[in-house]
Amino acid sequence: MANDAAAAEEAQDEQSAGPSLSDIGLVGALARLLDEVLVKKQIKPRIDGMKVPLLKAYETGQSEHVVRIGDDLIGRYKVNTAQPKVVVDPDNEAALTEYAEDHGGLEVIIRRNPKWEEALLKYAEYDEDTGLIVDTRNGNVVPGLKYEKGGGPTGAVTFTWEQKDVGKKRLTRHYQAGTLDHLLQETPELMAGPRPAPAKDDAQH
């Protein structure tokens, strides 16, 4: 009895905290599916509904979320992270401009040539041992650049359907069968209009 009471209390806590990450992700995947079929403006917010909660979950170590119905894998959301790269240091641009002047990187209007800068950033590498940034084409240490570590969230979330169209077919089947109706009570915009027709080979998946 104690276990039943604890389970009931836990379920109540989850309900009071709002929709679960799984429910939000499932509704988001369904909105994407219907957007391809119906293209309704009112379902757009549901498509992006996973962005805020997943970015919040990222703060506690969760970088992706799998959308599934029972044993059927529908797709997955993944937090996009910034890649490490060398960029211009806005606090030390004067030094880079001086470097550009000595290495043919200035235009007649006395500014850095954007194409030169783009090429420089392409070949510039951060030396972990010295903390300096080097132009790998000539070995010169380049002032006025800084290294930004990657890994932090970019503020965007990516969704990928399971095995291309397989996830879509599975979700369509569950949608037509009414498996998701308990979630759609709060999202009537996803109930409107005709439900997508099943693919001929849907039964195989």
Side-chain angles (χ1 to χ4, degrees), residues 86 120-127 132-136 147:
V86 174
L120 175 66
L121 293 175
K122 180 180 178 181
Y123 290 100
E125 287 187 1
Y126 176 71
D127 187 321
L132 301 174
I133 295 172
V134 178
D135 186 338
T136 56
Y147 179 71

Side-chain angles (χ1 to χ4, degrees), residues 107-161:
E107 295 182 308
V108 177
I109 56 173
I110 315 300
R111 70 172 183 182
R112 292 190 307 277
N113 183 329
K115 291 185 178 180
W116 176 88
E117 183 175 305
E118 182 180 348
L120 175 66
L121 293 175
K122 180 180 178 181
Y123 290 100
E125 287 187 1
Y126 176 71
D127 187 321
E128 189 74 33
D129 295 329
T130 64
L132 301 174
I133 295 172
V134 178
D135 186 338
T136 56
R137 296 171 296 180
N138 52 33
N140 291 333
V141 173
V142 185
L145 298 180
K146 66 178 181 177
Y147 179 71
E148 292 182 348
K149 293 182 179 179
T154 62
V157 168
T158 300
F159 178 79
T160 307
W161 290 105

Side-chain angles (χ1 to χ4, degrees), residues 24-92:
I24 296 172
L26 198 51
V27 170
L30 180 60
R32 289 173 185 277
L33 179 67
L34 296 181
D35 186 52
E36 295 178 9
V37 179
L38 305 177
V39 195
K40 289 183 176 290
K41 289 183 179 179
Q42 56 265 42
I43 70 175
K44 289 290 187 182
R46 298 296 178 182
I47 291 177
D48 297 325
M50 194 62 171
K51 180 177 177 180
V52 172
L54 186 53
L55 288 174
K56 186 175 181 181
Y58 180 88
E59 297 174 1
T60 59
Q62 182 175 349
S63 62
E64 66 176 49
H65 178 76
V66 176
V67 178
R68 64 172 69 246
I69 302 174
D71 293 331
D72 284 341
L73 189 59
I74 304 301
R76 68 188 70 241
Y77 288 93
K78 185 175 182 180
V79 175
N80 297 340
T81 56
Q83 296 299 312
K85 62 181 178 179
V86 174
V87 298
V88 174
D89 184 354
D91 297 327
N92 198 17

